């Protein structure tokens, strides 16, 4: 039972390069989220999805794109990486919306450095 | 918009000391409240939660009570252990609006033997 799996765990990029972070879940959850964690700022929402084929912008979406072609996968793309995108990225899932007692489940994170 | 404010760290304690980490929130609605814990090199794990006023969430000796009148959700533990050393995040769920989590900045706890 893997839960929420993020790949890769670490990556170093040069400015201007592109890459895709993968989040995979085996819990059949409807909602998926991408957050970034920066020192002194907690976690901030980048993009989210409320179901297969849907995506929406969060608090800090600039410079990122996402896709949810399959229910179990949520991809986060950086088309042209910038040093300001150096961060730890977390994926989270939620069984479904509107249920007050349901917590989000987090992956172990992807540490991304942009030089 | 909604927000969460928690005390800055690091909080440094000796083993068996009493712990309080303050958390207050502002919200237009009636959110659920959470404490998440992040151990070194790991992702976030749910520590405890509360969904309505006066609810007390508890887990692993940690407790927090949902205080609507003071908009607070302070985390407490009577006797901390070295293994409790981690970063603690207070968060509220923006229910009715995608259920996204709004986090505080996190508080690092360091417990020494």
């Amino acid at each position: 039972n893997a839960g929420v799996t993020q790949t890769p765990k670490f990556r170093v990029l040069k400015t201007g390069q592109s890459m895709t972070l993968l989040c995979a879940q085996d819990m059949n959850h409807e909602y998926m989220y991408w957050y970034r964690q920066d020192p002194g700022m907690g976690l901030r929402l980048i993009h989210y999805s409320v179901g297969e084929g849907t995506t929406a912008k969060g608090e800090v979406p600039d410079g990122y794109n996402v896709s949810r072609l399959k229910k179990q996968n949520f991809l986060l793309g950086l088309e042209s990486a910038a040093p300001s995108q150096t961060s730890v990225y977390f994926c989270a899932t939620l069984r479904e919306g509107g249920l007050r007692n349901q917590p989000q489940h987090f992956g172990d994170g992807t540490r991304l450095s942009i030089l | 918009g909604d927000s969460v404010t928690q005390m800055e760290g690091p909080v440094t304690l000796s083993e068996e000391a009493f712990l309080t980490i303050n958390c207050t929130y502002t919200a237009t609605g009636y959110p659920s409240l959470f404490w998440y814990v992040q151990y070194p090199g790991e992702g976030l794990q749910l520590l405890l939660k509360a969904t309505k006023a006066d609810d007390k969430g508890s887990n692993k000796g940690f407790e927090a009570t949902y205080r609507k009148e003071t908009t607070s959700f302070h985390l407490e533990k009577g006797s901390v252990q070295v293994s409790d050393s981690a970063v603690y995040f207070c968060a509220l769920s923006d229910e009715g609006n995608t259920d996204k989590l709004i986090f505080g900045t996190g508080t690092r706890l360091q417990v020494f033997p």
Side-chain angles (χ1 to χ4, degrees):
Chain A
N1 184 11
V4 182
T5 302
Q6 291 184 232
T7 54
K9 294 190 184 305
F10 304 95
R11 186 73 182 268
V12 178
L13 291 178
K14 295 181 180 179
T15 297
Q17 287 185 317
S18 63
M19 79 161 295
T20 301
L21 282 65
L22 170 63
C23 177
Q25 55 114 346
D26 62 2
M27 298 177 288
N28 203 35
H29 285 185
E30 289 295 330
Y31 287 30
M32 297 185 75
Y33 307 84
W34 277 107
Y35 295 90
R36 59 178 288 174
Q37 182 183 23
D38 300 296
M41 301 187 74
L43 279 76
R44 294 178 292 167
L45 183 65
I46 304 171
H47 285 281
Y48 63 95
S49 167
V50 299
E52 180 179 312
T54 75
T55 63
K57 294 180 179 180
E59 181 185 359
V60 288
D62 294 343
Y64 305 95
N65 56 74
V66 287
S67 65
R68 184 124 180 249
L69 299 179
K70 294 182 179 180
K71 185 176 183 179
Q72 64 267 34
N73 295 337
F74 195 30
L75 280 64
L76 177 70
L78 287 73
E79 289 189 348
S80 180
S84 61
Q85 294 176 305
T86 294
S87 188
V88 182
Y89 292 86
F90 287 100
C91 175
T93 70
L94 185 70
R95 185 159 66 89
E96 59 183 288
L99 300 177
R100 291 181 67 81
N101 204 31
Q102 299 302 310
Q104 291 187 15
H105 297 261
F106 284 80
D108 287 340
T110 295
R111 186 174 296 276
L112 184 60
S113 295
I114 317 277
L115 305 179
Chain B
D2 295 358
S3 65
V4 174
T5 302
Q6 60 181 107
M7 63 188 290
E8 293 188 15
V11 174
T12 303
L13 295 173
S14 297
E15 208 165 23
E16 300 183 0
F18 183 85
L19 168 70
T20 299
I21 300 178
N22 290 336
C23 172
T24 58
Y25 68 91
T26 58
T28 53
Y30 191 4
S32 294
L33 301 175
F34 303 86
W35 277 101
Y36 280 85
V37 58
Q38 185 180 30
Y39 297 103
E42 298 184 10
L44 278 72
Q45 302 175 24
L46 177 68
L47 181 60
L48 52 84
K49 63 184 186 290
T51 59
K52 61 182 188 293
D54 300 325
D55 264 3
K56 178 184 285 188
S58 61
N59 186 26
K60 299 181 180 179
F62 291 89
E63 293 183 341
T65 301
Y66 192 145
R67 300 289 189 197
K68 196 173 183 203
E69 65 276 14
T70 56
T71 63
S72 64
F73 193 54
H74 304 321
L75 183 68
E76 297 182 336
K77 186 175 185 181
S79 177
V80 294
Q81 305 300 312
V82 172
S83 58
D84 293 327
S85 298
V87 180
Y88 293 82
F89 291 93
C90 183
L92 66 82
S93 176
D94 192 4
E95 290 153 6
N97 182 20
T98 75
D99 293 86
K100 66 181 180 183
L101 287 173
I102 296 171
F103 287 88
T105 55
T107 302
R108 182 175 299 277
L109 171 66
Q110 297 173 322
V111 181
F112 294 96

